[in-house]
Amino acid sequence: MDRRVKKNQTAIMNALMHLIAEKEFDKITINDIAERADVNRGTVYSHYADKYDLLDKCIENQLIHLVEMCYSADATGPFPTKTPLLRTIQEIEKNALLYKALLSIKDVPSFRVHLSRMVSKQFMAYMTEYNVGLDDLGQSIFAQFMSSAIVGVIEWWFAQSMPCSAEELTERLWSLLEMNRIILAGSADRV
């Protein structure tokens, strides 16, 4: 990819991310994005169909960044130790304004949905790898339950003005995950 194209795309994405942290997504215009990125409207449209397409690409990039930052190459399963979960929550804490804004976007395929899918996918991989004693439907329900719970707790954390540190939130979430791991281990023993 041409360096100038990559530079423009990065500037446009960064502009949208900064604007999202400042005001509601539905009030952001292509002109706002172009002005913030220091490019013209045509440049924005040459890379993205509209602001929704740009948002989708930004969400995808944020999730890729979150995964890269938080999962080490030697990790197995979704949260085999507290470390990946802690790194995830610390990364979200470090960029709290952005993630809070992304989680609050309404009326478009939201960051919440994408984040929940990412977490659910990790739980599904874990259950498949460790052959937990649930059928496919049971695994899907469990993964959805856990991902909704984790994302819901992160939303609650933001709504409550982050009443505890990322470390404390991780400890409390980890204890809940451990309880569910015991339940899953028990279900595998019964099969």
Side-chain angles (χ1 to χ4, degrees):
M1 178 185 299
D2 182 328
R3 284 179 24 196
R4 188 180 54 194
V5 169
K6 187 170 175 65
K7 181 181 174 192
N8 283 341
Q9 287 178 331
T10 300
I12 293 166
M13 285 188 180
N14 286 339
L16 179 62
M17 292 293 99
H18 284 99
L19 286 165
I20 286 173
E22 295 170 14
K23 63 183 182 178
E24 294 177 29
F25 178 74
D26 62 342
K27 293 189 174 24
I28 297 171
T29 66
I30 292 295
N31 284 339
D32 295 334
I33 297 164
E35 186 176 307
R36 181 67 63 97
D38 197 24
V39 299
N40 63 47
R41 284 174 49 95
T43 302
V44 176
Y45 284 118
S46 72
H47 299 293
Y48 308 100
D50 54 26
K51 72 178 187 177
Y52 299 97
D53 180 40
L54 173 57
L55 177 64
D56 284 343
K57 301 295 188 293
C58 287
I59 287 172
E60 184 180 314
N61 282 354
Q62 281 304 123
L63 288 173
I64 289 168
H65 172 73
L66 194 59
V67 168
E68 287 172 353
M69 290 293 296
C70 304
Y71 292 95
S72 62
D74 60 338
T76 58
F79 300 115
T81 68
K82 279 189 273 191
T83 304
L85 180 61
L86 175 60
R87 280 189 287 208
T88 302
I89 294 173
Q90 285 173 328
E91 181 66 18
I92 290 171
E93 180 182 46
K94 185 170 89 178
N95 297 294
L97 285 177
L98 173 62
Y99 285 107
K100 184 176 183 180
L102 285 171
L103 285 167
S104 69
I105 295 173
K106 305 291 184 235
D107 302 326
V108 292
S110 71
F111 183 72
R112 182 192 202 294
V113 171
H114 293 283
L115 182 60
S116 185
R117 275 191 206 133
M118 179 188 83
V119 174
S120 180
K121 184 178 172 185
Q122 293 297 320
F123 275 104
M124 289 296 290
Y126 173 82
M127 288 185 288
T128 300
E129 183 175 339
Y130 292 97
N131 195 23
V132 299
L134 297 174
D135 62 11
D136 289 345
L137 179 61
Q139 287 182 15
S140 293
I141 291 169
F142 182 79
Q144 181 60 40
F145 171 77
M146 293 304 294
S147 65
S148 295
I150 289 171
V151 173
V153 167
I154 291 169
E155 287 177 315
W156 167 87
W157 189 47
F158 286 142
Q160 300 301 312
S161 301
M162 301 165 69
C164 59
S165 67
E167 293 76 12
E168 183 177 354
L169 184 63
T170 300
E171 284 298 323
R172 291 175 184 255
L173 269 173
W174 187 254
S175 67
L176 294 171
L177 289 171
E178 282 295 303
M179 282 189 270
N180 282 293
R181 190 181 304 219
I182 291 166
I183 291 167
L184 278 177
S187 69
D189 294 340
R190 288 192 295 268
V191 172

